[in-house]
Amino acid sequence: MNAYFIRRLFLMLPTLWGITLVTFFIVQILPGGPVEQALSALRFGGGEMAEGGASASAAKIEEEYVEALKKHYGFDKPLPVRYYNWLKDLLVLDFGESYYYEEPVIDVIVERFPVSIIFGIASLLITYLICVPLGIIKALRHQRFFDYASSLVIFAGYSIPGFALLILLIVLFCGGSYYDIFPMQGLTSENFSELSFFGKIADLFMHMLLPLTAYVIGMFAFTTMLMKNSLIEQITADYVRTAYAKGLSGKIVIVKHALRNALIPIATGFSEFVSFFFAGSILIEKISGLDGFGALGYESLLNRDYPVALGIIVITSVTVMVGNILSDFAYTVIDPRIDFK
Amino acid sequence: MRKHTSSGGDLHKHIISVRGLKKHFPIKGGILNRQIGAIRAVDTVSFDVESNKTLGIVGESGCGKSTLARLINRLIEPTAGEIYLQGDNILAWKGGALRRFYRKIQVVFQDPYASLNPRFSMFDIIEEPLRINNIDTKRLRRKRVRELIEKSGLSWDYRNRYPHEFSGGQRQRIGIARALALHPEILICDEPVSALDVSVQAQILNLLMDLQDEFKLTVLFISHDLSVVNKVSDQVIVLYCGKIVEMASRNRIFKKQLHPYAQALFSAIPKSSPHEQKERTLLNVEPPSPRHFPTGCRFHPRCPHAMDVCKKTEPQLENVSGSEDDFHRVACHLF
Amino acid sequence: MAILNPILSKRWENFKKIRRGYYSLIILIVTYLVALGAELWVNNKPLVVYYQGTYYYPVFFFYSGETFGEDYIAEAQYKEIRDRPAFKDNPDNVMLFPFIPYGYNESDDNLNASPPTVPDSRHWLGTDDRGRDLLTRLIYGYRVSLSFALVVLVLSTIVGVAIGAVQGYCAGVLDLICQRVIEVVSALPFLYLLILLASIFDPSITLLVIIFCAFRWIGLSYFMRAEFLRGRKIEYVEAARSIGVSRVGIMARHILPNTITPIITLAPFSVAASIGLLSSLDFLGFGVPAPTASWGEILSQAHANLTSYHLSVFPLICLFITLLLVSFVGEAVREAFDPKAYFRYKG
């Protein structure tokens, strides 16, 4: 079995190579790259110079400038060479330098960790502190009042896109038409550094509550239902009936037998912890003005900041793939019946 | 080549001849997922069948009976060996020739519940072979399907019913009608009655024997049930771990089995009368894992008469009857 | 249908018994059909015009301004014409407007406040930031969302089934190559690529459909691959091979009809995902091109006009109800097709 997972890890390499190939070429072939962006900025800003009589020399200056720009961004070399250089640097975890921020991509990405980690940890806490107990209660009270009542929330979670909910929450609670309780934008207030420790936590909480609610709502519904269905499946399994039949009380049967197995699908989700550092959502971060991973990816695409965009794509792909392998691995460790072959 | 294949001319005398047929399924493993071994499901099997006769193939489950059937029907490709149909090597056929070949060899499958497409009506199922091979016009096909349905003991009124509306025995009759639609020369019956109630088994066997006479069929009858094989076969092959261990006419083999494995297998047949004393030969050791067959004779760890030579040398199939016409071949060092 | 009949009709009966899902499906179908005919009841063109003794049907036919005595050959501006003395003075002239007399891209110039205006008797759900009737845009947006989701569903199902079937049935090297390709595609960050492509090419619905389909077939292809891998080992498929049915024939006639379960059970979830994702893209401005009506676009206006509650509440309700109905259908379909998984616990 270990041979299987080692092989899976090795098979990641060709896949990863395929991803770098596809994304690099898509990103580089598309029009509107950094050279063109810088040029249009120049034309827009330096309009007077171009109009000023000596158009021939202006054209020459522009040409030289284009060459310099190309050299600066490495566009003077042919595409395969650029790909080769980028890949070579990637092997030593050097993602290059951001065009836009003009600092190493790694630094730009690491700066965004605080928001991502808050998103990641919040979703973890919600999953284990709310979804699991709620799913268990729903399963035990299946088709009774509590189940139906809580299903309303679940269905809302399934059916409302998080970003739409966030807009409504902002309209309602951020001084739009009704209440003015929460700050509308950002991670912290301006006077954050002057606040006491608890003041800081309260400030963070006020800023993050609405975006976090919107961020986890879909996952909340999904995980709760997963827990509920998984437990119901276990409760109706033959071995649990046997446990009842041999005279064990309901509580013991559920805790000792059913729950342990029902937690398997949930527990394996934990293995995706690698993605915590890169959690985020383009829409929610954009709406709430948070500088997280999603917003960074979005900006880098719009600014044609290719090193950052490619770095993010590579990192997210790797975390997705490693997460998949780890969760399969966790399955085989927890559940001896499962054998990937 | 084996001793009993005296000459190539033999091939034309028999409707089907199998020579040195092997099927090894690879076992993959290790980090690179390379082949690290093989399951020798069918290993160097050779036999001949005369036209309009029935060859019974018996053995315990996992001995390679069904793999042999699938090889002969070309549902899987053999690792080595040849299969001759009236002297032609059918393994060389591809494309159109292979399609024509399919008309000559048909199968009745083991599980009448799995072998009929649940979304086809009885009529569709029996008509399909004709339609696929562009035989006859639609009207003529309808007539032929009706004949087949009635010959198989089914009612034409039920033609639009779906498989789940039929009993197991009726389903197997549909399977037989489908197999006969193309007027094959050879019918492979892969445990055709083992999934059926005992009360229905006899009806299906009688139907098969009637149709064999009517369609002049050669039948390869695969079963683990010796009493069924006794009823239908002219010749019997005993397979053990992918190899033929004994082979003789039905009369000979049911009178006296020579190979210790065959003796054990045949001693398990229930006797018809409770007063009859039966001597059961019991085998203690479990059958070997198909991944690691024993060296020498594959039966030696379970054999009550095992000698030193059995562990080292694999015995060859040899005729011990003294007559080439009514042969009795056995692969055992005792003989 | 005849081939699918015995089992599928039983499933359909099962589905009908799950009333919540069944009624949700009926509501969705009826409202979608009604929305498809939106031009007939939500439009700024009149249904019938009676002008100087002749009947005109502007919803169905094009009439230039000259037809009604105007001095332009572009399409007639019916609301202007209605208010001209030349039209009004003759009592025989009649213009019959639809139930909601606004176009999805028609700005109302006679608002008593600057847009976006809140709901009133003239615009029941208010107007957006360009003075366009919100109800009208929500109705046309419903039509766009659902049509888009259905087109994506059909195309991606065809692709997913075809690729999954070939992978599962042919197995071997082809399967291995496809698996690698799928792994690459599914590891690509879909939303990033979508934004990238949508920001570079001219926005068009065709482009969106292509990009959506390029990613959406993968989920189904996993299931189809598994079904065909299993399918080719079933005895009746071997039986079909041994009577000489061709590969394509076996895949299409023998295996495919028995793999209908994943196709149908995944469909509602695909529809819901497409609707949600399209609204996200519209919100970011990379979705359907302007001035197409879209719920996401209204939500982005809501984000810019936080004091106008109606811009966020109404599209949110529309999204919620639509997605809720779709997920009711999805849940019921799954239960009807796979009753085992929903075995009730009685405790």
Side-chain angles (χ1 to χ4, degrees):
Chain A
M1 191 190 71
N2 283 331
Y4 169 79
F5 285 104
I6 294 170
R7 198 166 67 239
R8 280 273 301 267
L9 280 171
F10 276 113
L11 276 176
M12 257 180 70
L13 293 176
T15 310
L16 195 58
W17 175 74
I19 290 167
T20 60
L21 193 73
V22 172
T23 48
F24 188 87
F25 281 85
I26 288 182
V27 161
Q28 299 270 327
I29 286 169
L30 293 173
V35 176
E36 288 156 63
Q37 292 232 323
L39 263 185
S40 65
L42 172 81
R43 290 210 185 93
F44 188 71
E48 293 156 44
M49 184 188 78
E51 276 172 44
S55 59
S57 73
K60 194 161 177 286
I61 289 169
E62 193 179 296
E63 206 169 289
E64 279 168 12
Y65 186 64
V66 169
E67 286 311 307
L69 272 177
K70 278 191 176 168
K71 210 170 174 93
H72 177 69
Y73 291 120
F75 278 72
D76 52 337
K77 301 186 189 82
L79 196 58
V81 175
R82 263 148 48 201
Y83 176 66
Y84 172 76
N85 288 337
W86 177 71
L87 206 59
K88 205 176 59 187
D89 292 343
L90 201 62
L91 287 180
V92 292
L93 294 179
D94 176 5
F95 293 92
E97 191 169 283
S98 161
Y99 298 159
Y100 187 75
Y101 297 96
E102 300 190 332
E103 40 180 308
V105 171
I106 281 287
D107 296 348
V108 175
I109 287 174
V110 169
E111 272 168 31
R112 304 298 177 113
F113 275 173
V115 172
S116 300
I117 291 174
I118 290 175
F119 274 129
I121 290 178
S123 48
L124 180 76
L125 290 180
I126 298 245
T127 308
Y128 289 92
L129 296 183
I130 300 179
C131 297
V132 170
L134 185 61
I136 293 171
I137 298 170
K138 278 175 73 70
L140 299 181
R141 298 261 179 279
H142 184 61
Q143 296 195 333
R144 302 222 198 123
F145 176 75
F146 181 82
D147 186 31
Y148 286 122
S150 57
S151 287
L152 285 178
V153 186
I154 303 287
F155 274 121
Y158 264 130
S159 309
I160 299 179
F163 82 95
L165 179 69
L166 182 57
I167 291 172
L168 183 71
L169 290 174
I170 288 176
V171 168
L172 291 181
F173 299 115
C174 299
S177 322
Y178 300 94
Y179 305 97
D180 189 0
I181 303 175
F182 297 101
M184 218 168 76
Q185 291 245 311
L187 183 60
T188 52
S189 306
E190 277 173 29
N191 61 347
F192 186 70
S193 53
E194 299 156 20
L195 292 172
S196 67
F197 177 71
F198 290 104
K200 281 181 180 171
I201 289 185
D203 188 52
L204 261 180
F205 178 79
M206 293 303 274
H207 278 88
M208 288 301 283
L209 184 63
L210 298 188
L212 274 179
T213 309
Y215 180 71
V216 296
I217 182 152
M219 191 174 51
F220 161 78
F222 177 80
T223 316
T224 307
M225 288 312 284
L226 183 68
M227 183 67 229
K228 181 192 168 185
N229 289 335
S230 164
L231 186 55
I232 285 185
E233 196 181 308
Q234 295 300 328
I235 288 171
T236 51
D238 285 341
Y239 77 92
V240 171
R241 281 193 213 161
T242 315
Y244 273 117
K246 63 183 190 190
L248 293 180
S249 81
K251 223 179 232 168
I252 293 178
V253 170
I254 285 163
V255 172
K256 267 189 75 175
H257 295 266
L259 194 56
R260 221 173 37 186
N261 287 317
L263 277 169
I264 288 173
I266 304 270
T268 53
F270 188 75
S271 62
E272 286 165 27
F273 67 88
V274 276
S275 58
F276 280 178
F277 295 99
F278 310 107
S281 149
I282 293 182
L283 287 136
I284 285 168
E285 289 174 23
K286 189 174 178 291
I287 294 169
S288 281
L290 296 167
D291 288 330
F293 218 62
L296 179 65
Y298 182 67
E299 288 159 19
S300 69
L301 290 176
L302 293 193
N303 298 331
R304 300 287 185 276
D305 194 350
Y306 295 157
V308 174
L310 287 172
I312 286 181
I313 290 173
V314 169
I315 289 174
T316 43
S317 312
V318 172
T319 46
V320 167
M321 282 190 291
V322 172
N324 284 343
I325 294 176
L326 281 179
S327 98
D328 286 352
F329 188 70
Y331 256 114
T332 55
V333 170
I334 303 173
D335 190 343
R337 288 171 304 179
I338 291 169
D339 181 20
F340 290 100
K341 266 283 154 69
Chain B
M1 270 307 117
R2 300 277 164 269
K3 270 184 185 169
H4 60 270
T5 61
S6 45
S7 74
D10 255 20
L11 297 175
H12 288 277
K13 210 174 86 188
H14 303 289
I15 181 157
I16 192 156
S17 302
V18 171
R19 290 291 174 270
L21 197 63
K22 288 184 190 181
K23 179 68 192 179
H24 294 178
F25 293 105
I27 304 167
K28 288 187 175 170
I31 291 171
L32 295 172
N33 211 19
R34 274 198 304 221
Q35 187 172 344
I36 54 170
I39 295 172
R40 291 178 285 173
V42 171
D43 205 1
T44 334
V45 165
S46 306
F47 60 83
D48 304 289
V49 191
E50 282 171 50
S51 184
N52 206 11
K53 296 278 196 233
T54 301
L55 173 70
I57 301 173
V58 299
E60 60 195 339
S61 57
C63 70
K65 295 176 307 224
S66 289
T67 308
L68 186 59
R70 287 153 58 86
L71 281 169
I72 295 171
N73 196 33
R74 288 212 56 188
L75 286 169
I76 49 176
E77 293 297 309
T79 312
E82 293 111 50
I83 302 167
Y84 296 94
L85 184 66
Q86 291 158 324
D88 290 335
N89 186 0
I90 64 168
L91 295 174
W93 294 350
K94 292 199 165 56
L98 185 60
R99 287 237 196 153
R100 278 193 295 285
F101 154 75
Y102 277 137
R103 292 199 202 170
K104 294 194 177 174
I105 302 191
Q106 284 295 310
V107 191
V108 176
F109 288 90
Q110 174 173 8
D111 182 356
Y113 293 88
S115 62
L116 306 178
N117 190 332
R119 295 181 195 260
F120 280 33
S121 69
M122 173 167 87
F123 182 86
D124 293 334
I125 290 171
I126 300 172
E127 193 213 16
E128 192 182 25
L130 302 170
R131 193 175 48 77
I132 290 294
N133 292 287
N134 291 320
I135 295 169
D136 295 345
T137 61
K138 213 172 173 184
R139 267 188 56 200
L140 276 171
R141 281 210 294 268
R142 198 177 158 83
K143 217 179 118 211
R144 265 174 86 156
V145 171
R146 182 171 189 159
E147 272 171 31
L148 283 162
I149 286 177
E150 279 160 2
K151 273 185 187 152
S152 310
L154 293 156
S155 166
W156 174 243
D157 297 339
Y158 295 163
R159 63 186 177 279
N160 290 326
R161 291 197 178 179
Y162 289 89
H164 67 269
E165 297 169 275
F166 291 101
S167 70
Q170 287 172 316
R171 281 159 166 254
Q172 202 57 303
R173 287 174 192 270
I174 299 174
I176 292 168
R178 169 179 63 190
L180 295 179
L182 293 170
H183 281 278
E185 290 171 34
I186 295 164
L187 190 67
I188 302 173
C189 299
D190 186 1
E191 307 245 13
V193 295
S194 59
L196 303 176
D197 284 354
V198 182
S199 56
V200 185
Q201 286 190 357
Q203 296 172 15
I204 298 293
L205 289 177
N206 286 331
L207 173 70
L208 275 171
M209 292 197 302
D210 292 347
L211 293 171
Q212 177 175 23
D213 291 340
E214 190 179 338
F215 285 80
K216 301 271 172 287
L217 291 166
T218 307
V219 176
L220 301 186
F221 194 96
I222 292 165
S223 180
H224 63 271
D225 187 341
L226 287 160
S227 48
V228 169
V229 171
N230 188 16
K231 191 169 156 128
V232 298
S233 309
D234 298 298
Q235 253 189 52
V236 175
I237 284 176
V238 181
L239 275 182
Y240 182 74
C241 293
K243 282 190 100 76
I244 297 178
V245 293
E246 190 161 351
M247 179 178 185
S249 67
R250 180 194 58 168
N251 292 337
R252 262 185 178 277
I253 202 162
F254 273 87
K255 209 182 290 161
K256 185 170 172 53
Q257 307 86 37
L258 297 176
H259 197 282
Y261 172 69
Q263 287 169 356
L265 190 70
F266 279 64
S267 77
I269 308 175
K271 299 286 186 261
S272 45
S273 140
H275 303 297
E276 216 171 319
Q277 279 298 311
K278 58 178 180 178
E279 272 175 65
R280 286 212 59 183
T281 317
L282 294 172
L283 299 172
N284 302 324
V285 192
E286 286 290 303
S289 152
R291 285 161 172 252
H292 307 287
F293 282 142
T295 52
C297 174
R298 289 175 183 184
F299 187 59
H300 84 256
R302 303 172 81 190
C303 181
H305 312 294
M307 304 174 290
D308 274 350
V309 63
C310 301
K311 293 172 187 161
K312 288 167 196 139
T313 327
E314 201 161 6
Q316 300 297 316
L317 198 58
E318 299 196 42
N319 189 3
V320 294
S321 75
S323 137
E324 196 53 48
D325 290 325
D326 188 17
F327 59 79
H328 194 145
R329 299 195 181 102
V330 60
C332 181
H333 289 299
L334 290 170
F335 301 93
Chain C
M1 265 325 246
I3 309 170
L4 310 176
N5 246 335
I7 293 167
L8 207 62
S9 63
K10 207 166 130 200
R11 301 262 161 90
W12 174 243
E13 290 303 318
N14 284 347
F15 177 75
K16 280 207 286 196
K17 281 191 207 119
I18 307 164
R19 296 221 301 278
R20 189 165 73 183
Y22 179 58
Y23 291 132
S24 297
L25 183 67
I26 289 178
I27 294 172
L28 281 171
I29 291 175
V30 169
T31 51
Y32 182 57
L33 290 178
V34 170
L36 274 183
E39 273 82 358
L40 291 175
W41 58 283
V42 188
N43 209 336
N44 57 342
K45 293 180 201 166
L47 289 168
V48 183
V49 178
Y50 184 75
Y51 178 67
Q52 294 178 345
T54 318
Y55 285 100
Y56 300 92
Y57 305 96
V59 169
F60 300 100
F61 303 103
F62 171 89
Y63 302 109
S64 77
E66 287 173 329
T67 319
F68 302 101
E70 302 281 300
D71 56 357
Y72 50 89
I73 54 165
E75 174 139 40
Q77 298 295 310
Y78 296 99
K79 284 186 182 168
E80 285 174 17
I81 293 165
R82 182 186 56 186
D83 298 330
R84 295 219 191 287
F87 189 90
K88 258 201 301 206
D89 292 349
N90 185 348
D92 289 342
N93 287 347
V94 178
M95 231 183 238
L96 179 67
F97 275 91
F99 181 56
I100 300 171
Y102 301 106
Y104 71 88
N105 192 30
E106 181 202 15
S107 300
D108 191 340
D109 302 328
N110 305 320
L111 293 171
N112 42 22
S114 69
T117 58
V118 290
D120 54 27
S121 60
R122 184 176 165 88
H123 295 283
W124 299 332
L125 298 185
T127 61
D128 72 356
D129 62 358
R130 261 151 279 178
R132 297 177 293 199
D133 185 60
L134 193 65
L135 179 58
T136 305
R137 286 193 66 81
L138 286 174
I139 290 165
Y140 278 84
Y142 178 65
R143 189 165 86 168
V144 170
S145 294
L146 221 50
S147 307
F148 179 81
L150 291 175
V151 172
V152 169
L153 172 68
V154 170
L155 293 180
S156 62
T157 299
I158 292 171
V159 176
V161 168
I163 293 182
V166 169
Q167 266 188 291
Y169 193 73
C170 302
V173 182
L174 195 67
D175 180 33
L176 212 65
I177 294 170
C178 282
Q179 271 183 304
R180 290 283 87 75
V181 171
I182 284 174
E183 213 167 277
V184 170
V185 177
S186 59
L188 291 174
F190 172 53
L191 201 57
Y192 286 153
L193 280 191
L194 235 164
I195 289 171
L196 190 64
L197 293 172
S199 70
I200 280 153
F201 295 109
D202 288 335
S204 79
I205 292 185
T206 321
L207 179 72
L208 282 179
V209 168
I210 292 171
I211 303 176
F212 267 65
C213 289
F215 284 88
R216 192 53 64 65
W217 57 270
I218 294 172
L220 183 59
S221 82
Y222 286 130
F223 286 91
M224 297 315 284
R225 175 174 173 267
E227 291 280 332
F228 273 77
L229 268 177
R230 196 173 56 84
R232 70 197 205 116
K233 296 264 164 71
I234 300 177
E235 278 193 344
Y236 65 77
V237 171
E238 291 206 331
R241 273 171 72 193
S242 71
I243 56 174
V245 184
S246 66
R247 279 183 165 205
V248 178
I250 287 178
M251 289 203 274
R253 275 174 60 83
H254 287 272
I255 308 183
L256 187 62
N258 291 303
T259 59
I260 206 88
T261 302
I263 298 177
I264 290 185
T265 50
L266 286 181
F269 299 96
S270 164
V271 168
S274 291
I275 293 176
L277 205 53
L278 182 68
S279 70
S280 312
L281 277 181
D282 285 336
F283 176 80
L284 289 172
F286 297 115
V288 294
T292 317
S294 104
W295 294 346
E297 190 256 351
I298 301 171
L299 283 168
S300 75
Q301 291 186 20
H303 187 224
N305 300 282
L306 286 179
T307 46
S308 307
Y309 74 92
H310 64 283
L311 289 179
S312 56
V313 170
F314 296 124
L316 188 73
I317 289 173
C318 290
L319 265 173
F320 175 58
I321 292 177
T322 311
L323 294 177
L324 189 66
L325 292 175
V326 173
S327 63
F328 281 157
V329 174
E331 182 203 43
V333 164
R334 218 163 51 178
E335 197 174 332
F337 273 72
D338 189 9
K340 187 174 82 256
Y342 279 76
F343 192 68
R344 299 285 188 207
Y345 162 64
K346 308 229 166 36

